[in-house]
Amino acid sequence: QPSRRTTDWTSSLFISSMALKTVIFVGSTRARRVGPKVAACVAQRLADRGVGDAFDVTVIDPRLHEDGWFMRLLEKPLFHYKEGEEVPGALRRTGEVIGQADLFVTVSSEMNHTIAPGLVSMMSHFGSNHYAFKPSGIVTYSAGMWGGTRAGVALRPFLSELGCLPVSAMVALPGAIKAMGGVGDDLASAAVLEKVAHRVSGNNNGNAGEVGDGAVTDNLCLKRLPETQEKMLDRMLDQLEWQARSLRDARLRDGPPSASYFEQVRLGTSSGSGG
C-alpha cells in the first residue's frame, strides 16, 4: 500500500506533465492589421518549446473567431445570464475554452496610448471566475518606436482585475509593420492563423487555431520576431510556464480559494474540487 505522500507525489508528477491549455488573444480588430502575424509568432515559439507535450494553444481573434461574433460591442457578459436563460452559442463555447485554460497571452496594438478596445470588449464578456488564479503574459506592438509599451502598462491593472495576474517580463515590438513584413487583410490573417490551426483530433468549430498533437511543424508565422523580441518572449514564456504549472497543480489539488487559505489549505478543509 503506497503512502499518501508517495501517491500525492506521483499524482503531482502526472499533473505537471499535462499540456498547458493556452489562450492567445488577438487585440486589434482593424480590417488591415499586423496582429495575427505577431500572434502566430508567439504560437510558433510555444510550438518550438514542445508541440503536444508542453502547450495546447488556441488563438482567439475577434474578427475571425466564431465568425466575428465578438466584433459587436459588449452588450451582455456571460455572467449576466440567469439560470435557465439561453446563452448564445458563441459566448458559451468561448467561455468554455477560456474557463479551461491554464494561461493567457494578450497580443495588443497600442491605440490612443492604451489597450486596443476590441481586446477589452472581448475579454470583458467573461467574469473573473474564468481567468482567476491563472497567469498572463503581455505582448504589444506598434508601428512607432515604443512598441506599444503604454498599452502594456495599461494591460497590467486590467489583467490583474480579471484575476490573471501578468508576469513581470513582457514583449514590446517597435516598427511592427516592417518587422512582420507588412499588414494583412482578413484573408491573409485567416491564412496565417490557419497555419497555427488544426490539431488532428479537433476542429475547434473552424473558428480559431490550435497547436497540439499532429499540428504543422513548419514555421507558423510568415516572418520570425526580431532577435531581441524573441529573447524577451522566451523570458516571458519561462515565467508563464512555471507559474501556470504551479497554479494549475494548486487548483487541481486544493480547488480555488473560496475559503481563506488558512481554513482551506492549512487546516485541511479543501475539497480538492479541481475547479
Side-chain angles (χ1 to χ4, degrees), residues 42 45 171 225 229-237:
V42 175
R45 206 60 180 166
V171 181
L225 289 173
Q229 278 66 39
E230 285 215 335
K231 289 180 179 178
M232 297 166 73
L233 180 58
D234 281 337
R235 182 166 177 260
M236 185 189 80
L237 293 179

Side-chain angles (χ1 to χ4, degrees), residues 25-47:
F25 291 104
V26 178
S28 175
T29 56
R30 289 178 173 172
R32 294 183 59 79
R33 60 209 170 116
V34 73
K37 294 183 179 181
V38 180
C41 285
V42 175
Q44 174 66 56
R45 206 60 180 166
L46 288 165

Side-chain angles (χ1 to χ4, degrees), residues 13-221:
L13 186 63
F14 171 74
I15 291 170
S16 295
S17 67
M18 294 163 53
L20 290 167
K21 294 183 178 180
T22 306
V23 171
I24 300 175
F25 291 104
V26 178
S28 175
T29 56
R30 289 178 173 172
R32 294 183 59 79
R33 60 209 170 116
V34 73
K37 294 183 179 181
V38 180
C41 285
V42 175
Q44 174 66 56
R45 206 60 180 166
L46 288 165
D48 292 343
R49 296 169 75 94
V51 171
D53 296 325
F55 300 94
D56 179 359
V57 181
T58 300
V59 180
I60 298 181
D61 179 342
R63 283 193 68 90
L64 303 175
H65 182 69
E66 293 287 355
D67 298 322
W69 193 89
F70 288 94
M71 286 294 288
R72 68 187 68 192
L73 286 174
L74 174 59
E75 295 178 351
K76 189 173 182 178
L78 181 60
F79 51 87
H80 279 187
Y81 285 84
K82 299 177 181 178
E83 186 176 354
E85 190 175 359
E86 184 177 358
V87 178
L91 189 61
R92 174 181 51 79
R93 288 189 295 270
T94 305
E96 290 171 355
V97 171
I98 295 172
Q100 293 168 7
D102 298 307
L103 69 140
F104 307 100
V105 179
T106 57
V107 178
S108 179
S109 56
E110 179 179 301
M111 296 185 179
N112 299 319
H113 291 195
T114 192
I115 314 167
L119 179 64
V120 174
S121 177
M122 177 173 58
M123 293 188 71
S124 296
H125 277 82
F126 309 96
S128 61
N129 62 314
H130 285 73
Y131 300 104
F133 314 111
K134 305 171 185 179
S136 62
I138 297 171
V139 178
T140 62
Y141 61 91
S142 70
M145 63 186 296
W146 303 114
T149 51
R150 288 165 293 206
V153 170
L155 273 164
R156 288 195 174 277
F158 174 71
L159 294 171
S160 297
E161 181 62 20
L162 288 176
C164 51
L165 274 65
V167 296
S168 63
M170 62 177 286
V171 181
L173 175 62
I177 295 175
K178 181 178 180 181
M180 291 288 97
V183 298
D185 57 17
D186 279 350
L187 186 62
S189 297
V192 169
L193 294 181
E194 187 176 358
K195 293 195 73 179
V196 177
H198 301 313
R199 286 174 51 186
V200 170
S201 59
N203 59 22
N204 201 37
N205 297 317
N207 294 311
E210 290 190 6
V211 176
D213 295 335
V216 291
T217 55
D218 60 331
N219 281 348
L220 303 176
C221 46

